[in-house]
Amino acid sequence: MIEVETGRPPSAAPDALPRPQYDPATTTVRQREAAKAAELTAAGVATSAITVQRMRHRYRSGGLRALVDGRLTRPMTPHGRTDPRVVEAIRAAIAAETNTSTGTRDRLRHRVQMALADSYGDDAPSLPSKATFNRLVTSMTTGRHTFGSAKTRRSAANRPPGAFTVTWASRPGQHVQIDTTPLDVLAVFDDGVARRVELTAAVDVATRTIGAGLLRPVGTKAVDASLLLARMLVPEPMRPGWADSLRMSVSRLPHRSLADIDARMADAAAKPVIVPEASGCDRGKVFLSETFVRSCERLGISVLPSYPRTPTDNSIVEATFSAMNTLFCQYVSGHVGRDVTRRSQDAEAEAVWSLAQLQELFDEWVLHWQRRPHEGLLSPDAARAVCQTQHTQAVPHRTRQTHDRTTQTLLATTQQRPHRHLDGRPIPRRHKLEQRTTTTRLLRASEILSHIAVQQTQPI
């Protein structure tokens, strides 16, 4: 452009003469524009004299920036050229569909049109064509299931806006999550009718150990949740017919030293006894009841209710429930699946186990769960996945070395603790007080078991 205007390019020397086809003394502006167009075309950039003339006018009015292609500087939006007011109305209409029954795009278009008319009156912007509107709605509803399942849509809308906060615990018992879920299995009750059952389980965050699980008919009560806490604090006895590989004597747990302290460990199964310090639960009536709260106070357990409508606060126990469906429920006679679309043709006839038998099957499966490598657990000494029993054995040893608050996972080790570390250093006084507090919890657990047994014999 500078050569067309002045006859010499910017890089020319001050005393250089212009080329003949660009000499202002012998050529006109139109001739120089045509010469520049021919030069660019010969160089491989097809250009006409009109294009050079138009660019010369833009250069004279706006400088070098005006020569940039406007399509490259045009602000790009994910909604194209649609009026921002229309986009905002569509976004509000999509948000309003979260808690309503599922409709079609035509209904959404009608609601957007009515909202624009109410907000702007005669000055309301017009909606784009139906095809453009549908493409715009599709891009704005990705992953929200606006026109799909209402249950899935509400679940997706309930997700936290940011990343999930990882629930972390450094030692067994520091944080235990408790929850209740309907089990995808039918049990045969005393009247001969097969019905669904509910599972109340407690999962230790540090070791992913299922401390206890209790099966009850649908309608779990607060006394059942209190019984679950008491079952966590006693060893799991071996049942007749269980394989010898499930005994504590063949596991990695220190069986001999424990059996010398507590005789119940001699016939115990390979599952650690974890004393909870804090119990995370949802805001169900069972876990906020006076019975459950007073049981936790009696055992010295802090109750940590989750935030309202925030299932991610108890994500570990929720994930454990999902693992139970795939590793346990689907192999049991009477499995019904998670909904009616996954149920067999005659699931009631396939149910053969009573509630007590189903409870015994679940207790046996928990011992196999303890021996299964867990992807969420890494060995403190090697970066590889370990099972729950290995992690339970390794974690307290490391926390004892760091002078952190020490919590023993086994019943006997909580009753008899050394007064000095292995290297001769005295244990701080807070650890001795903690030992007596833990022992007191175990004694109170036996009281709760006796109290619950009396309540269960009384008519409801």
Side-chain angles (χ1 to χ4, degrees), residues 326-345:
T326 57
L327 299 177
F328 173 71
C329 294
Q330 67 173 342
Y331 298 103
V332 179
S333 299
H335 177 243
V336 294
R338 64 186 182 187
D339 52 50
V340 294
T341 61
R342 300 172 182 267
R343 185 170 300 181
S344 64
Q345 187 175 0

Side-chain angles (χ1 to χ4, degrees), residues 190-220:
D190 295 338
D191 56 359
V193 180
R195 303 187 186 92
R196 293 281 292 272
V197 296
E198 283 187 347
L199 171 65
T200 304
V203 180
D204 180 61
V205 174
T207 63
R208 301 299 196 273
T209 296
I210 301 178
L214 199 62
L215 294 177
R216 285 293 182 265
V218 175
T220 302

Side-chain angles (χ1 to χ4, degrees), residues 27-316:
T27 59
T28 62
V29 175
R30 297 293 179 265
Q31 292 175 341
R32 295 196 295 273
E33 292 173 352
K36 180 58 68 176
E39 181 180 354
L40 292 175
T41 301
V45 182
T47 309
S48 64
I50 299 298
T51 302
V52 177
Q53 179 182 355
R54 187 165 51 249
M55 296 180 66
R56 187 177 64 85
H57 289 311
R58 292 209 306 265
Y59 178 73
R60 297 185 64 180
S61 61
L64 183 62
R65 183 179 180 85
L67 297 178
V68 179
D69 191 347
R71 293 172 295 182
L72 301 178
T73 60
R74 182 183 304 164
M76 300 297 295
T77 63
H79 312 117
R81 300 182 182 180
T82 307
D83 194 307
R85 295 175 294 177
V86 175
V87 174
E88 188 62 29
I90 295 176
R91 185 178 289 110
I94 292 175
E97 294 284 333
T98 301
N99 297 320
T100 60
S101 301
T102 303
T104 62
R105 290 176 174 80
D106 290 338
R107 188 184 75 174
L108 182 67
R109 179 183 176 89
H110 176 72
R111 291 182 175 181
V112 171
Q113 189 173 7
M114 296 296 295
L116 291 174
D118 294 341
S119 300
Y120 301 102
D122 296 337
D123 297 332
S126 58
L127 292 177
S129 64
K130 185 176 181 179
T132 303
F133 179 85
N134 291 341
R135 287 195 299 268
L136 180 60
V137 169
T138 300
S139 64
M140 296 178 65
T141 57
T142 302
R144 304 184 64 171
H145 303 274
T146 303
F147 307 104
S149 171
K151 180 180 178 180
T152 307
R153 178 169 65 251
R154 288 190 291 268
S155 298
N158 194 33
R159 291 182 301 183
F164 294 161
T165 301
V166 179
T167 304
W168 181 83
S170 62
R171 58 186 179 274
Q174 181 181 0
H175 186 79
V176 175
Q177 295 183 358
I178 302 178
D179 200 1
T180 300
T181 184
L183 206 62
D184 297 339
V185 176
L186 296 179
V188 180
F189 288 82
D190 295 338
D191 56 359
V193 180
R195 303 187 186 92
R196 293 281 292 272
V197 296
E198 283 187 347
L199 171 65
T200 304
V203 180
D204 180 61
V205 174
T207 63
R208 301 299 196 273
T209 296
I210 301 178
L214 199 62
L215 294 177
R216 285 293 182 265
V218 175
T220 302
K221 300 178 176 58
V223 67
D224 299 327
S226 301
L227 178 61
L228 181 74
L229 294 177
R231 289 191 60 181
M232 290 185 62
L233 304 180
V234 295
E236 184 70 31
M238 287 289 295
R239 310 290 203 281
W242 285 8
D244 291 338
S245 60
L246 302 181
R247 293 183 178 275
M248 184 179 291
S249 57
V250 297
S251 67
R252 294 176 177 268
L253 298 174
H255 171 259
R256 292 185 177 179
S257 58
L258 298 176
D260 294 340
I261 299 172
D262 193 327
R264 291 178 296 180
M265 290 294 180
D267 296 325
K271 190 182 73 172
V273 179
I274 296 179
V275 181
E277 300 177 19
S279 171
C281 55
D282 56 19
R283 293 182 175 268
K285 294 182 179 180
V286 173
F287 303 112
L288 297 183
S289 62
E290 182 181 359
T291 302
F292 182 76
V293 173
R294 292 183 62 181
S295 299
C296 291
E297 292 177 354
R298 185 74 174 171
L299 296 173
I301 302 174
S302 302
V303 180
L304 304 177
S306 60
Y307 286 98
R309 297 181 59 81
T310 310
T312 53
D313 285 353
N314 293 326
S315 58
I316 292 178

